[in-house]
Amino acid sequence: MSNPVSDLILGFQDLVAGVPDLMQPLIVALAGAVPFIEGEGAATIGILGGINPVIAAIAGAVGNLICVAVVVLLSSRVRTAVTTRRGGTPEPVSARRQKFERAYHRYGTPGVSLLGPLLLPTQFTAAALTSTGVPPLRVIAWQAAAIVLWTTVITLIITGVIRAVA
């Protein structure tokens, strides 16, 4: 039985290998926009596809960040519309939401943004932060820091492993 995420990753790898060199970073950026692949997964796809690691990392991070920014801006508009319509009346909070809010109160926006990718895609973390009322630009800034950090770390690891094996 195949795994949908694995199939998607293999599909992106095949696509990177099958397009002209100038189009490869665009494919990597598109992969970076996909939850669970993220900037670091997209950079890995690009590196394994033969793209320069720096270009692959930048393309993957940019694709991830653009997607996260869109999610944050849309989530912010939805939150504004919902809170305006409800007149600020709170709704019942789910157990999952309570868990997220405990983490948020413990680690703040920086901690949730930087540690969130270990558990959830950045798009989900960004939407959750925005829904709690964190200003969109603050969410985008911290998500950008997390995307750059994790994409850089994974790119360095993958590049080091490839060089060690070669």
Side-chain angles (χ1 to χ4, degrees):
M1 179 171 256
S2 66
N3 176 340
V5 175
S6 296
D7 292 345
L8 190 59
I9 290 170
L10 292 173
F12 275 118
Q13 285 178 327
D14 291 342
L15 192 54
V16 167
V19 298
D21 290 352
L22 289 175
M23 293 296 294
Q24 290 176 341
L26 178 61
I27 303 303
V28 172
L30 289 173
V34 176
F36 297 104
I37 293 180
E38 310 281 323
E40 57 271 18
T44 301
I45 289 168
I47 293 165
L48 295 176
I51 298 176
N52 176 293
V54 173
I55 293 171
I58 291 170
V62 166
N64 194 187
L65 184 56
I66 288 171
C67 182
V68 165
V70 168
V71 167
V72 168
L73 296 174
L74 289 175
S75 298
S76 177
R77 293 187 113 171
V78 168
R79 181 182 190 282
T80 299
V82 168
T83 55
T84 301
R85 185 170 293 136
R86 276 189 299 163
T89 306
E91 60 184 43
V93 179
S94 70
R96 180 175 281 173
R97 179 67 180 195
Q98 288 175 351
K99 186 175 180 180
F100 175 80
E101 288 183 8
R102 278 194 305 275
Y104 177 71
H105 289 297
R106 185 171 186 179
Y107 302 110
T109 303
V112 170
S113 294
L114 295 171
L115 298 174
L118 296 172
L119 302 173
L120 292 171
T122 52
Q123 294 89 338
F124 297 176
T125 305
L129 285 168
T130 304
S131 72
T132 63
V134 178
L137 291 179
R138 181 172 170 82
V139 174
I140 292 170
W142 280 105
Q143 289 297 306
I147 290 166
V148 168
L149 171 72
W150 287 108
T151 301
T152 301
V153 166
I154 298 301
T155 298
L156 291 171
I157 291 170
I158 295 298
T159 302
V161 167
I162 290 172
R163 288 191 177 147
V165 171

